[in-house]
Amino acid sequence: RPIVRLDHVSKTFSNGTIALKDMSLTIGTGEFISLLGPSGCGKSTALRMLAGLGEPSSGKIIWPDPADKSANDKSEGEIGFVFQEPTLMPWATVFKNVWLPLRLKGISKEAARPRVMEALEMVGLDKFVDSYPRELSGGMKMRVSIARALVTRPRILLMDEPFAALDEITRQKLNDDLLRLWEQFGWTIVFVTHSVFESVYLSSRIVVMAARPGRVIDEIEVDAPHPRG
Ligand code: ADP
Ligand code: ADP
């Protein structure tokens, strides 16, 4: 079942840079999609437009099945976004950092607590709920930022080279944990990377992109022991 579809999406920035040209892609429920390609091929631009950060210059992004507004659980969100940098508030505890997206929806600290703890348990950091970011390693900060993206139970998790700044061992650990969580919870993930290894290791489908202008040149179904969406 498709969650979102890019339909002939192009993006030209005001300075004339053609970041993306005629990209079409259907993302199905439960897929783990990698956007793989060299720096500058438009991966981030595509991801940001999926998140609603920036409009296509032409073409459309279509969500065929808009969330059921009648259910109206305001603590649930459409999209979780994980940036390359953890972007945590340094002056706030782990709890407050993960609470933030719910707080912005008007959910009180006490009402948010079970959700925050659930998200922290998923990433293995529930014991660090009262710590400050400066007390955590790079990998742990990234885990907090993943928990923050998960706390709204998004329909789709968008990750922009999330582990690129981490050392190889930490990165591999996080890759393993992400894969385990994806298998366990059946999330839909779009993961931007320029690592061929990472895309093969993680994803159920690889969308290969090329630069100048940014475009899709191939799609590969990965025949790994992953469950399919
Ligand atoms: P990737 O994520 O694959 O490295 P990006 O989507 O970040 O690629 O960028 C694609 C192209 O668009 C690059 O040439 C980049 O310099 C350019 N670009 C990205 N954002 C902007 C912007 N806000 N204004 C102008 N050019 C941009
Ligand atoms: P991670 O991949 O989770 O970031 P690191 O290898 O960066 O872990 O760990 C740095 C330090 O933090 C190590 O001493 C590690 O034992 C500790 N650490 C990381 N995660 C946890 C955790 N969930 N519980 C206790 N200690 C942890």
Side-chain angles (χ1 to χ4, degrees):
R1 216 160 36 79
I3 285 193
V4 59
R5 194 154 61 82
L6 288 91
D7 185 35
H8 298 286
V9 167
S10 296
K11 178 72 175 182
T12 305
F13 286 106
S14 49
N15 66 0
T17 305
I18 303 173
L20 212 54
K21 199 171 163 69
D22 198 29
M23 179 173 184
S24 292
L25 177 67
T26 300
I27 297 166
T29 306
E31 280 197 285
F32 193 142
I33 291 182
S34 289
L35 298 184
L36 171 69
S39 190
C41 72
K43 304 182 294 294
S44 296
T45 301
L47 203 70
R48 290 171 59 82
M49 287 193 293
L50 277 172
L53 305 166
E55 292 289 316
S57 312
S58 66
K60 283 196 287 264
I61 294 176
I62 301 159
W63 298 82
D65 180 25
D68 185 2
K69 298 292 184 230
S70 63
N72 202 23
D73 179 346
K74 62 182 174 168
S75 67
E76 312 244 332
E78 293 281 291
I79 292 163
F81 204 106
V82 178
F83 299 91
Q84 181 170 338
E85 298 300 326
T87 63
L88 303 178
M89 303 178 288
W91 59 85
T93 59
V94 165
F95 182 93
K96 281 199 171 173
N97 271 285
V98 176
W99 172 31
L100 181 67
L102 296 178
R103 191 180 190 178
L104 295 174
K105 290 167 182 270
I107 310 228
S108 74
K109 190 170 183 171
E110 283 323 305
R113 188 169 294 277
R115 278 295 183 82
V116 170
M117 293 315 295
E118 173 193 75
L120 285 172
E121 274 165 34
M122 283 181 178
V123 299
L125 286 184
D126 44 309
K127 293 197 178 61
F128 293 83
V129 60
D130 295 320
S131 301
Y132 285 86
R134 65 172 176 274
E135 302 170 302
L136 307 179
S137 70
M140 292 162 85
K141 279 190 267 224
M142 182 47 75
R143 287 171 196 271
V144 173
S145 124
I146 293 171
R148 183 183 53 193
L150 293 175
V151 78
T152 60
R153 296 185 182 149
R155 319 161 72 192
I156 186 165
L157 183 59
L158 306 176
M159 308 182 86
D160 193 354
E161 304 209 44
F163 311 145
L166 302 173
D167 66 83
E168 197 56 42
I169 291 173
T170 303
R171 181 175 178 167
Q172 189 54 33
K173 230 192 301 171
L174 281 161
N175 278 339
D176 283 338
D177 287 353
L178 182 63
L179 201 49
R180 184 176 49 75
L181 289 166
W182 174 67
E183 287 172 351
Q184 186 175 349
F185 295 105
W187 297 332
T188 307
I189 301 178
V190 182
F191 187 100
V192 163
T193 181
H194 56 252
S195 158
V196 174
F197 170 78
E198 206 164 60
S199 66
V200 172
Y201 189 76
L202 290 172
S203 43
S204 57
R205 183 154 55 114
I206 303 171
V207 175
V208 186
M209 300 177 66
R212 284 189 268 305
R215 65 201 188 281
V216 175
I217 54 170
D218 203 359
E219 284 192 27
I220 302 163
E221 294 283 339
V222 180
D223 209 10
H226 301 152
R228 288 294 159 73

